[in-house]
Amino acid sequence: MHLRHDPLYASRRSPVLADNMVSTSHPLAAQAGLSMLAQGGNAVDAAIATAAALTVVEPTGNGLGSDAFCILWDGAELHGLNASGPAPMGWSPERFAGQDKMPFRGWNSVTVPGAIAAWAALSDRFGTLDFATLLAPAVGYAENGFAVSPVIGKLWEIGGDTLGAQP
């Protein structure tokens, strides 16, 4: 019997089963998370290391200036974290009066980033590894370089075309 296989991708992909798993859009970020698990860390440690690595290897979609959200089950209780970053203290609703939507670019579109605060809060409450360990893979990618994927390369090009004239 022959089974027909018409893959959506150029390579064959198969499910992988393991005691621990990290799934991301970039293999280096997944490796960062897996390395935390291999060092005795838990899922929170892996998530933080993965997020930090993504800020380096996929900066067009993730970054230190990002927001973060988490729904976490600790085995007994459900926890939620909204680190969407507040608006600057001096802003009021009147600042945006008469606008039908938030500006897409410029200072009026910026909030205080929440990602780093989320990482710190999650690590303090649920993590087991120190921040130097959690950030080591991201620091390594930033210092030593990495192969930029074709998709991220194209997004950098688009970003350059879009924002290149900015001061």
Side-chain angles (χ1 to χ4, degrees):
M1 171 186 228
H2 177 69
L3 297 176
R4 184 181 167 140
H5 185 279
D6 292 323
L8 295 174
Y9 304 100
S11 65
R12 290 185 182 239
R13 298 177 183 215
S14 59
V16 176
L17 303 175
D19 290 333
N20 298 299
M21 187 177 290
V22 176
S23 178
T24 73
S25 55
H26 198 288
L28 292 176
Q31 284 183 322
L34 286 171
S35 73
M36 296 306 115
L37 297 174
Q39 294 176 64
N42 62 24
V44 170
D45 296 318
I48 294 168
T50 298
L54 282 170
T55 69
V56 176
V57 300
E58 289 189 353
T60 57
N62 301 277
L64 297 178
S66 297
D67 296 327
F69 305 90
C70 178
I71 298 174
L72 186 143
W73 176 256
D74 68 5
E77 189 177 0
L78 188 64
H79 304 269
L81 175 66
N82 176 352
S84 57
M89 185 182 265
W91 285 6
S92 67
E94 292 76 32
R95 181 181 182 94
F96 300 96
Q99 295 185 27
D100 59 347
K101 63 182 180 178
M102 288 296 294
F104 186 68
R105 288 196 180 84
W107 288 112
N108 286 338
S109 66
V110 178
T111 61
V112 177
I116 302 301
W119 300 351
L122 291 167
S123 181
D124 286 346
R125 185 148 183 204
F126 302 104
T128 62
L129 301 174
D130 61 78
F131 253 80
T133 302
L134 298 176
L135 299 181
V139 169
Y141 301 147
E143 288 181 346
N144 302 317
F146 60 93
V148 175
S149 72
V151 170
I152 297 303
K154 183 63 177 174
L155 290 173
W156 274 348
E157 179 184 343
I158 292 168
D161 292 344
T162 304
L163 301 172
Q166 296 297 312

